[in-house]
Amino acid sequence: MAWSWETTHQQKVDDLIRFSRLLYDRGLVSAAGGNVSVRCGDHVLITGSNISLREVTADSLVLCDMEGNILEAPPGLRPSKETRFHLGVYKQRPEICCVIHAHPSFSIAWSLEKKPLPMYTESAQLKLENVPLIPDAPPGSPELARQVTQTVAQSPDTVHAFLMERHGILVMGETVQECFHQAELLEDTAKIAVLRAMMAH
């Protein structure tokens, strides 16, 4: 089946599919975890609920309006349960065109420390600056959406990467590729922080 957004936003669709699979291949998500969205004009295209990012195709995506109402979707497919906080990010940051939520292990481990993430590398200092922590709340809940939206709203516009306590990472940017690079750098930065903390004991 051809969707109305496939031709109009073909590059975004292709990138969403490609980098969703790369997120899985790089071990930044597992099983059916994580979700990716792109802004398509006044609408948002997001991965479907319980769809593994390793298997994302055009038929795994759902088109919503900015209030979360489903505009186009394969029969029986619901948008990710985290759609609320994706929409919250887009409303707070009009310049943002992509949001990735993933569950990388070292980032989650460091989030449990509830401490600022050290920027030990030149690349992290330059490209991440600082990484705020979004407080824990149940997955898919309105409370989590509020925590995400509030933390993003309180952060400088230059901040594009966040740790989510016990839940992973949230990265945002103008393109899917930019978000993927941020996700990789954030996880590598958390890995270095965890390993250095272990060495210090």
Side-chain angles (χ1 to χ4, degrees), residues 39 66 85-99 130 132 148-162 170-174 178 182:
R39 189 197 294 267
M66 291 300 290
F85 72 61
H86 285 252
L87 297 176
V89 169
Y90 290 123
K91 290 177 181 178
Q92 287 294 326
R93 298 274 188 92
E95 77 281 7
I96 294 302
C97 293
C98 175
V99 174
N130 97 89
V148 169
T149 303
Q150 289 173 5
T151 306
V152 171
Q154 293 165 2
S155 302
D157 290 347
T158 54
V159 173
H160 288 172
F162 300 78
L170 177 75
V171 294
M172 59 191 73
E174 294 184 6
E178 178 185 329
Q182 287 280 98

Side-chain angles (χ1 to χ4, degrees), residues 33-55:
N35 30 81
V36 183
S37 69
V38 292
R39 189 197 294 267
C40 297
D42 295 329
H43 303 143
V44 170
L45 194 62
I46 190 165
T47 50
S49 181
N50 293 320
I51 298 292
S52 173
L53 295 189
R54 71 178 180 271
E55 298 171 340

Side-chain angles (χ1 to χ4, degrees), residues 161-181:
F162 300 78
L163 290 175
M164 301 179 71
E165 183 185 350
R166 300 180 63 230
H167 196 182
I169 63 172
L170 177 75
V171 294
M172 59 191 73
E174 294 184 6
T175 67
V176 188
Q177 183 178 55
E178 178 185 329
C179 285
F180 178 78
H181 289 165

Side-chain angles (χ1 to χ4, degrees), residues 8-50:
T8 309
H9 302 284
Q10 188 65 58
Q11 187 60 57
K12 287 184 178 182
V13 174
D14 290 346
D15 286 348
L16 193 159
I17 293 169
R18 176 189 171 203
F19 286 104
S20 289
R21 294 177 180 178
L22 278 174
L23 285 165
Y24 184 90
D25 291 344
R26 284 280 291 153
L28 300 177
V29 293
S30 61
N35 30 81
V36 183
S37 69
V38 292
R39 189 197 294 267
C40 297
D42 295 329
H43 303 143
V44 170
L45 194 62
I46 190 165
T47 50
S49 181
N50 293 320

Side-chain angles (χ1 to χ4, degrees), residues 97-149:
C97 293
C98 175
V99 174
I100 289 176
H101 167 52
H103 303 151
S105 300
F106 286 99
S107 293
I108 293 174
W110 187 264
S111 78
L112 301 177
E113 297 294 315
K114 298 185 180 182
K115 298 176 182 178
L117 178 64
M119 301 292 143
Y120 286 127
T121 69
E122 296 290 346
S123 183
Q125 290 179 14
L126 179 65
K127 297 178 181 178
L128 292 177
E129 298 182 32
N130 97 89
V131 179
L133 178 67
I134 297 169
D136 185 32
S141 67
E143 182 184 356
L144 180 60
R146 284 194 297 272
Q147 296 283 22
V148 169
T149 303

